[in-house]
Amino acid sequence: MCHVIVTCRSMLWTLLSIVVAFAELIAFMSADWLIGKAKPSSSDDVDNRTGGTQEPYHPTLGIYGRCTRISHMQLSRRDTLCGPYAENFSEIASGFWQATAIFLAMGIMILCAVAFVSVFTMCVQSIMKKSIFNVCGLLQGIAGM
């Protein structure tokens, strides 16, 4: 019975490790770190298909990406373009955001490595008399700092 509980707990930990690694990666790639005030709607914001007004536009900025409005695409349902504004590392918005990018990237790499190793904990639970769970937990704590 105890072995079943340990196995279920390790499966849950493995699943959550993978989910957190992907969530961190998605957060890093997101352009929604800073969301600006809604731009006031004008007569150009009328949706030609429905006759109603479109949702107000919110400019956004991420660590290295942003979303901007494309003014000449009024017939398109999606009139915003999201992508990187920084072509290289020195073009990231500020020194603080550059530090955030470095530390977040390092944390994501550690979390992805732990998620990868956690799959193997189903078969092997210790190496050289050290619990893989303890080592991976320590790495996850370091990545979360």
Side-chain angles (χ1 to χ4, degrees):
M1 181 69 173
C2 182
H3 182 61
V4 172
I5 292 172
V6 170
T7 302
C8 289
R9 202 169 64 191
S10 67
M11 286 173 51
L12 179 63
W13 173 70
T14 299
L15 179 65
L16 290 177
S17 295
I18 293 168
V19 167
V20 168
F22 278 118
E24 285 288 325
L25 185 61
I26 290 169
F28 183 76
M29 301 300 284
S30 173
D32 293 334
W33 282 61
L34 294 175
I35 300 175
K37 292 182 180 179
K39 301 289 183 184
S41 59
S42 64
S43 61
D44 293 336
D45 289 339
V46 175
D47 190 344
N48 293 333
R49 288 181 310 264
T50 63
T53 60
Q54 294 177 338
E55 291 183 23
Y57 166 68
H58 296 271
T60 62
L61 178 67
I63 289 180
Y64 74 93
R66 68 176 173 187
C67 291
T68 57
R69 185 172 203 165
I70 304 170
S71 60
H72 65 277
M73 292 187 63
Q74 294 298 323
L75 297 176
S76 172
R77 181 177 188 95
R78 181 132 173 117
D79 61 350
T80 58
L81 177 65
C82 297
Y85 70 85
E87 294 296 321
N88 57 43
F89 185 74
S90 64
E91 292 180 357
I92 293 179
S94 71
F96 292 113
W97 284 52
Q98 289 174 349
T100 300
I102 290 169
F103 288 121
L104 196 54
M106 287 176 21
I108 289 169
M109 286 191 305
I110 292 170
L111 288 174
C112 288
V114 168
F116 181 73
V117 169
S118 69
V119 173
F120 295 108
T121 61
M122 302 294 174
C123 302
V124 179
Q125 296 183 354
S126 66
I127 295 176
M128 297 186 325
K129 297 184 181 179
K130 296 285 184 187
S131 172
I132 294 177
F133 298 111
N134 291 343
V135 174
C136 287
L138 177 66
L139 288 174
Q140 283 177 330
I142 292 170
M145 292 177 129

